Amino acid sequence: MRTIFRCYAELSSVRLLKAELEAQGRKSKSWTSASGRMIGGKPFARGALYLMLRNRTYRGEIVHKGQSHPGEHTPIIDQPLWNTVQAQLAGNTAERNSGTRTHQPSLLAGMLFDAEGNRMTPSYADKQSTRYR
């Protein structure tokens, strides 16, 4: 877990962190269910990485009803590393505006990416007060 936090602190991108973990061959925890089925052992998803990086349990805290309390367990992540990761996560959040207040919103805005992972932006043409996207 410390390795994931340190790697994110260096890369400051969950997409790059995911690629790095895949290159190292790191996978999620795997176990066998009571019925004998294998569960887990898959590459980390970006969503799972975001949840891990925000999980206050690694900081030695317990969250109950939205409030954080000191836990009885020892923290896995030290305070300076936690603060660094949280600051980077906060700085990397994109302002999402899908154009919901516009008359004709761009429905796919912010959802399409090219082969290199760059966000694609919508284009349009106007003709006789009609916007074609």
Side-chain angles (χ1 to χ4, degrees):
M1 190 52 57
R2 287 183 196 102
T3 307
I4 291 175
F5 273 78
R6 286 187 199 118
C7 191
Y8 178 77
E10 292 173 12
L11 300 172
S12 65
S13 167
V14 173
R15 185 177 53 84
L16 295 175
L17 173 63
K18 180 181 179 342
E20 178 66 25
L21 293 174
E22 284 179 1
Q24 293 176 3
R26 295 194 180 227
K27 298 182 180 190
S28 65
K29 176 184 169 184
S30 64
W31 66 95
T32 306
S33 69
S35 64
R37 190 172 58 116
M38 285 293 293
I39 299 172
K42 298 178 181 175
F44 288 102
R46 281 181 37 228
L49 291 172
Y50 277 111
L51 289 174
M52 275 193 264
L53 293 172
R54 285 195 162 87
N55 191 341
R56 299 190 72 82
T57 304
Y58 301 127
R59 181 59 218 119
E61 300 173 1
I62 300 295
V63 178
H64 177 66
K65 293 187 178 180
Q67 292 185 346
S68 179
H69 306 282
E72 294 182 3
H73 61 285
T74 57
I76 296 172
I77 306 301
D78 60 349
Q79 190 65 42
L81 180 58
W82 175 264
N83 292 341
T84 301
V85 167
Q86 299 313 305
Q88 288 176 342
L89 284 170
N92 288 345
T93 57
E95 292 294 325
R96 303 271 189 244
N97 184 5
S98 61
T100 55
R101 289 183 228 133
T102 62
H103 181 64
Q104 297 173 335
S106 298
L107 299 177
L108 298 177
M111 296 183 187
L112 299 177
F113 298 87
D114 66 6
E116 282 92 30
N118 300 317
R119 185 180 310 273
M120 297 177 75
T121 57
S123 62
Y124 61 90
D126 290 327
K127 183 175 180 184
Q128 296 179 352
S129 73
T130 301
R131 181 165 283 181
Y132 297 94
R133 298 184 186 279

